[in-house]
Amino acid sequence: MKTRITELLGCEYPILQGGMAWVAEHTLAAAVTNAGGVGLIAGGSAPIDYLRDQIRQCKAAVGDKTFGVNIMLMSPNADDLAQLVIDEGVKVVTTGAGNPGKYMEAWKNAGVKVIPVIPSVALAKRMEKAGADAVVAEGTESGGHIGENTTMCLVPQVVDALEIPVIAAGGIADGRGIAASFMLGAEGVQVGTRFLASDECQIHPTFKELVVKAKDTDSVVTGRYTGHPCRNIKTKFSKKLAMGEKDGSLSPDEFEQLTLGSLRKAVQDGNLDEGSFLCGAIAGMINDVKPCREIIDEMFAQAEKLLGK
Ligand code: TUI
């Protein structure tokens, strides 16, 4: 399946793995890249030395195949990480949770392909003007920090507004999602939640079990009143947060205190009492854990059949 995205990124399949904070480390990124997609290492708020090591380990595992780094722009380390990707010769950067405009010139000068994740047409247009090579139009079905627009509404509007290629994200976990994205005008997909339930994903077994057991109504958005809405799997903890937000018993400050460090507690400890298990709304459709290569091959075989190739 050749599109402007496979051409831009030099990959076999037009699929990017979401740069999931605390989740997307070198093993997962390398597995996705070696399966023909583009794996991403999540910068998150990790120390620079740790990320340099992650990048080098991924490079060693994939050779000259393409992988990238996701930069979470709210991270206090974003400036250093923006420089690190240049110093390490990383070919692709995706960004989230903000406007990467101030880094764009340096990245372009270094030949880095820049793909901002955007939740609106307005930001997409600004990114194209600033020199982005493509954008990920991410719908509110996604896990983690989200905008308000759905994938179905956002993707065609971004496609209509831009000349550069658009990658669809949010609620895509099988070939039907890929085919639908292409019908909306996307030329690639970004997938996160499906890769949580992969063999190579290093998250705590409790997290994988929550994804596999989730049903359609098992995700909840918390933190709208803090300005950082996040989609999580329903657990005792996320339901407590949602309730505290709704009935006013938790102030935004108390909410922030309770969720400090909660991503790590979910991913590394499987802590159901204090962890935030970020996850997309499509988890209900995911019922098994398998290798990334199988996930990707099956998704594209189904999509190609549906698209009549
Ligand atoms: O970034 C994500 N998803 C994430 S980041 C994350 S870590 C985190 N931890 C604590 C609080 C918040 C996040 C977990 N999941 N997806 C991409 C994304 N970007 N979604 C929404 C946006 C976004 C929002 C506003 C992008 C740009 C933006 O622009 C505001 C501006 O400056 O104009």
Side-chain angles (χ1 to χ4, degrees):
M1 198 178 267
K2 300 293 165 220
T3 70
R4 283 190 291 171
I5 293 300
T6 52
E7 207 169 293
L8 176 73
L9 303 178
C11 50
E12 185 185 349
Y13 294 119
I15 183 168
L16 274 67
Q17 162 239 318
M20 300 168 280
W22 284 99
V23 170
E25 44 64 71
H26 70 89
T27 318
L28 178 62
V32 171
T33 288
N34 281 327
V38 176
L40 272 295
I41 294 166
S45 305
I48 293 302
D49 287 346
Y50 169 84
L51 288 167
R52 185 182 299 107
D53 180 60
Q54 290 284 312
I55 292 167
R56 290 182 181 179
Q57 292 211 50
C58 193
K59 217 181 276 177
V62 304
D64 59 6
K65 290 197 276 309
T66 308
F67 71 97
V69 169
N70 173 265
I71 301 187
M72 210 277 275
L73 295 164
M74 289 188 331
S75 160
N77 279 352
D79 286 354
D80 292 342
L81 188 48
Q83 186 57 45
L84 178 70
V85 294
I86 294 173
D87 297 343
E88 291 295 313
V90 171
K91 294 182 204 156
V92 182
V93 164
T94 64
T95 64
N99 181 343
K102 71 170 174 169
Y103 306 119
M104 211 63 114
E105 194 183 336
W107 285 337
K108 298 309 299 174
N109 288 341
V112 179
K113 307 285 186 229
V114 185
I115 310 183
V117 179
I118 52 88
S120 69
V121 171
L123 193 59
K125 281 181 169 170
R126 258 190 280 157
M127 292 300 98
E128 180 174 69
K129 220 169 174 182
D133 294 282
V135 294
V136 175
E138 189 186 87
T140 195
E141 297 91 325
S142 302
H145 182 47
I146 47 171
E148 292 291 347
N149 219 338
T150 61
T151 305
M152 180 81 99
C153 295
L154 180 65
V155 171
Q157 294 185 76
V158 174
V159 167
D160 286 348
L162 303 191
E163 299 290 332
I164 56 174
V166 175
I167 296 164
I172 303 164
D174 68 5
R176 292 172 297 181
I178 297 174
S181 301
F182 276 58
M183 289 291 109
L184 297 174
E187 295 179 59
V189 292
Q190 179 188 275
V191 169
T193 301
R194 175 63 265 198
F195 291 124
L196 288 174
S198 68
D199 287 341
E200 296 89 345
C201 186
Q202 303 294 305
I203 57 177
H204 195 278
T206 298
F207 198 163
K208 284 192 194 180
E209 196 180 324
L210 282 172
V211 175
V212 168
K213 290 200 170 150
K215 54 182 191 308
D216 59 339
T217 53
D218 280 343
S219 85
V220 60
V221 179
T222 58
R224 280 209 166 87
Y225 69 160
T226 67
H228 307 130
C230 272
R231 186 178 297 282
N232 312 250
I233 303 185
K234 275 183 192 165
T235 58
K236 219 167 33 171
F237 181 62
S238 61
K239 283 195 260 188
K240 181 171 99 176
L241 294 174
M243 191 51 77
E245 181 175 0
K246 193 171 167 199
D247 68 14
S249 60
L250 268 183
S251 72
D253 274 358
E254 287 167 332
F255 181 101
E256 296 279 19
Q257 277 307 312
L258 272 177
T259 52
L260 210 64
S262 65
L263 303 191
R264 192 199 63 71
K265 287 175 187 167
V267 170
Q268 290 187 347
D269 306 339
N271 183 341
L272 290 164
D273 297 317
E274 297 173 1
S276 293
F277 295 83
L278 303 187
C279 179
I282 199 66
M285 205 176 73
I286 297 164
N287 301 312
D288 54 3
V289 177
K290 50 192 175 192
C292 289
R293 181 177 292 282
E294 245 174 74
I295 292 172
I296 294 175
D297 284 345
E298 286 175 13
M299 285 179 80
F300 279 93
Q302 188 185 20
E304 284 174 15
K305 204 167 154 197
L306 289 167
L307 292 166
K309 287 206 168 185

